[in-house]
């Protein structure tokens, strides 16, 4: 089955530093990937839509300068949390759709737990 | 964007009983409604979905109903088992972007 891989699975960083999270589609090409954030015991919040070869589109209230998204290839999208603060600590998860699953066959990555200290 | 509400936030049932989780959505243009099961620290897993041109769908012990007029949809789990214990999220999709409900923590008591 389709696999969406995320790396790292968890990361601890100091306040003020930047962290890059990778989302890879391992056996298919994805022109679009989605990034979500999930706070403990809360729902998944759509942050942005990552488009290969063009700028990402961000949901209202998401700071695009803080959460930099790069979708440089058909199999890789990256989310960089810049100048991280403790309130950025969260579970970040991406999703992508294999072309053989139909319009809505999105599968989620394994997620990245970010802790900012 | 879309606004999805989900109830209840927590649900405890005895093993073998049924569980029902309800969601409402705000944007009538949403046309796809998946349900996900998420275990602690893991990725959400799709368990069932329904499209806007269908009123009901069933897969073994799981069923989903959709009322487009009222803009609500429900998840029904029958003959619940302890392994059904998890957090369940509904979602509404608008132009392939998913908007999630707030989640229901289901506990099945053996």
């Amino acid at each position: 089955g389709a696999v969406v891989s995320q790396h790292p699975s968890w990361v601890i960083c100091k306040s003020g530093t930047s962290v890059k999270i990778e989302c890879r589609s391992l056996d298919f090409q994805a022109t679009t990937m989605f990034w979500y954030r999930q706070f403990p015991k809360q729902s998944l919040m759509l942050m942005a839509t990552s488009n290969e070869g063009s700028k990402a589109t961000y949901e209202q209230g998401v700071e695009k300068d803080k959460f930099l998204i790069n979708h440089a290839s058909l199999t890789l999208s990256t989310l960089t949390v810049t100048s991280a603060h403790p309130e950025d600590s969260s579970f970040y998860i991406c999703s992508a759709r294999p072309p053989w699953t139909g319009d809505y066959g999105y599968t989620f990555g394994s997620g990245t737990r970010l802790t900012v200290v | 964007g879309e606004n999805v509400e989900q109830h209840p936030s927590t649900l405890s049932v005895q093993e073998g009983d049924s569980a029902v989780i309800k969601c409402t959505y705000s944007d009538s243009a949403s046309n796809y409604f998946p349900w996900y099961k998420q275990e602690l620290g893991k990725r959400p897993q799709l368990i069932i979905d329904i499209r806007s041109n269908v009123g009901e769908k069933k897969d073994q012990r799981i069923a989903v109903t959709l009322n487009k007029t009222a803009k609500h949809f429900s998840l029904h789990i029958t003959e619940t088992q302890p392994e059904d214990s998890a957090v369940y999220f509904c979602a509404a999709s608008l132009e392939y972007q998913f908007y999630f409900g707030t989640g229901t923590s289901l506990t099945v008591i053996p």
Side-chain angles (χ1 to χ4, degrees):
Chain A
V3 177
V4 177
S5 173
Q6 266 184 256
H7 179 80
S9 56
W10 61 270
V11 58
I12 301 173
C13 71
K14 292 184 178 180
S15 288
T17 62
S18 295
V19 174
K20 180 185 284 188
I21 301 169
E22 294 186 347
C23 178
R24 291 182 185 273
S25 54
L26 296 187
D27 51 359
F28 64 97
Q29 294 180 334
T31 56
T32 302
M33 292 185 177
F34 295 99
W35 285 95
Y36 296 86
R37 178 170 58 185
Q38 185 177 34
F39 292 108
K41 297 185 179 182
Q42 294 189 27
S43 188
L44 296 93
M45 299 290 295
L46 177 63
M47 298 176 65
T49 303
S50 174
N51 303 297
E52 189 269 337
S54 64
K55 291 183 179 180
T57 54
Y58 291 81
E59 292 298 297
Q60 190 173 6
V62 178
E63 300 175 60
K64 61 180 180 180
D65 294 331
K66 181 167 187 62
F67 298 100
L68 300 179
I69 290 173
N70 185 298
H71 196 151
S73 79
L74 287 171
T75 59
L76 174 65
S77 174
T78 60
L79 168 68
T80 301
V81 183
T82 63
S83 187
H85 292 284
E87 56 265 31
D88 298 325
S89 298
S90 187
F91 188 61
Y92 293 87
I93 193 165
C94 65
S95 74
R97 180 182 68 84
W100 61 82
T101 59
D103 290 344
Y104 292 98
Y106 285 88
T107 187
F108 285 89
S110 49
T112 298
R113 184 160 303 282
L114 170 63
T115 302
V116 184
V117 298
Chain B
E2 172 70 277
N3 181 43
V4 180
E5 296 188 355
Q6 183 172 346
H7 299 281
S9 56
T10 60
L11 179 61
S12 291
V13 299
Q14 293 287 334
E15 182 178 358
D17 288 349
S18 297
V20 179
I21 303 170
K22 297 182 179 182
C23 288
T24 61
Y25 61 100
S26 61
D27 196 325
S28 57
S30 291
N31 54 9
Y32 174 70
F33 307 91
W35 286 88
Y36 291 89
K37 177 182 179 181
Q38 186 179 31
E39 297 177 356
L40 189 64
K42 297 187 177 180
R43 77 187 82 189
Q45 298 280 2
L46 177 69
I47 56 171
I48 196 167
D49 57 11
I50 192 167
R51 303 200 182 195
S52 59
N53 59 348
V54 176
E56 184 174 356
K57 183 177 179 180
K58 187 175 181 180
D59 183 4
Q60 299 182 338
R61 296 187 296 111
I62 297 173
V64 58
T65 59
L66 171 66
N67 184 326
K68 283 182 60 180
T69 303
K71 290 188 283 189
H72 66 71
F73 55 113
S74 301
L75 176 71
H76 304 252
I77 306 175
T78 60
E79 301 172 23
T80 54
Q81 301 167 2
E83 50 265 38
D84 294 330
S85 296
V87 178
Y88 291 80
F89 291 99
C90 64
S93 179
L94 185 63
E95 297 180 353
Y96 307 115
Q97 295 170 326
F98 289 11
Y99 296 89
F100 287 83
T102 46
T104 297
S105 178
L106 173 64
T107 302
V108 179
I109 304 167

